[in-house]
């Protein structure tokens, strides 16, 4: 991987629903590996907001495969993924690569035709970088979460602000 840019996403969006599935298809993507907590839903909420449900339907109508990749436990992840009809990988251990490889196998897509979407630089984006995959950072859905995650947020915000000032990787909004 390119170690000079381990924490720089390729794109940034205020929410997953701000991404255009049609645009992702035009960019050549066939699959999406999507984080669960604070990307698709608020922390430990096991249902999708109507806007997110609609977005998932739109993505699939465009032929995009969607696989959930989460560091959270299997019960939590399946409570969301199974009713939504989405394949999922729990206990993913992001930023380790094994979970991404499992998600790619479930999607049946290669790393270069699959985009990673998540709200955390240190897990979602760093893991995507290690896999040489396209990474989209989204603003977190809800602020309530583990203390450990919370304590990294100020760093993340400072980093994203710096990226924005430099005009890097922000084609979807900001
Ligand atoms: Mg998350």
């Amino acid at each position: 991987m390119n170690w000079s840019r381990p924490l720089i996403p390729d794109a940034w969006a205020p929410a997953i629903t701000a991404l255009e599935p049609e645009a992702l298809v035009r960019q050549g993507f066939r699959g999406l590996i999507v984080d669960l907590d604070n990307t698709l839903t608020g922390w430990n909420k096991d249902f999708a907001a109507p806007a997110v449900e609609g977005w998932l339907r739109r993505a699939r109508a465009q032929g995009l495969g969607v696989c959930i990749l989460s560091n959270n436990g299997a019960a939590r992840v399946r409570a969301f993924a199974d009713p939504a009809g989405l394949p999922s990988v729990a206990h993913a251990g992001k930023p380790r690569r094994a979970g991404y490889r499992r998600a790619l196998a479930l999607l049946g897509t290669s790393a270069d035709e699959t985009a990673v979407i998540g709200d955390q630089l240190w897990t979602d984006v760093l893991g995507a970088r290690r896999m040489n995959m396209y990474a989209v950072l989204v603003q977190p859905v809800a602020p309530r979460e583990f203390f450990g995650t919370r304590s990294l947020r100020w760093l993340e915000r400072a980093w994203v602000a710096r990226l924005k000032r430099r005009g890097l990787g922000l084609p979807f909004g900001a």
Side-chain angles (χ1 to χ4, degrees):
M1 72 169 260
N2 182 351
W3 284 105
S4 66
R5 295 165 64 88
L7 293 176
I8 299 180
D10 296 290
W12 180 88
I16 192 167
T17 50
L19 297 168
E20 297 285 340
E22 297 78 4
L24 290 165
V25 169
R26 279 198 301 276
Q27 274 181 268
F29 295 115
R30 293 181 50 231
L32 304 175
I33 291 178
V34 182
D35 172 52
L36 179 56
D37 292 305
N38 273 324
T39 296
L40 284 170
T41 183
W43 193 65
N44 269 358
K45 285 214 172 67
D46 55 10
F47 53 89
V52 171
E53 236 175 276
W55 186 88
L56 287 169
R57 265 201 307 277
R58 234 174 99 198
R60 280 181 289 182
Q62 288 294 314
L64 284 166
V66 176
C67 181
I68 291 178
L69 182 68
S70 174
N71 284 357
N72 213 326
R76 151 73 179 142
V77 173
R78 299 197 65 167
F80 182 97
D82 290 0
L86 299 173
S88 61
V89 177
H91 297 294
K94 291 177 281 185
R96 296 184 60 217
R97 284 168 290 191
Y100 292 82
R101 292 199 187 104
R102 253 164 46 224
L104 287 175
L106 288 170
L107 287 168
T109 56
S110 63
D112 59 2
E113 60 190 9
T114 309
V116 175
I117 305 172
D119 70 299
Q120 285 190 74
L121 289 169
W122 326 100
T123 54
D124 306 306
V125 172
L126 180 56
R129 286 278 86 94
R130 296 184 70 197
M131 290 290 292
N132 286 314
M133 292 172 73
Y134 188 89
V136 182
L137 181 73
V138 296
Q139 205 160 285
V141 170
R144 209 182 317 161
E145 54 206 345
F146 283 124
F147 177 76
T149 305
R150 204 165 66 218
S151 60
L152 284 172
R153 287 291 181 201
W154 71 269
L155 259 176
E156 208 157 56
R157 275 197 298 273
W159 183 241
V160 170
R162 181 185 153 96
L163 293 178
K164 282 183 185 176
R165 276 198 305 277
R166 291 181 165 199
L168 283 174
L170 310 171
F172 289 109

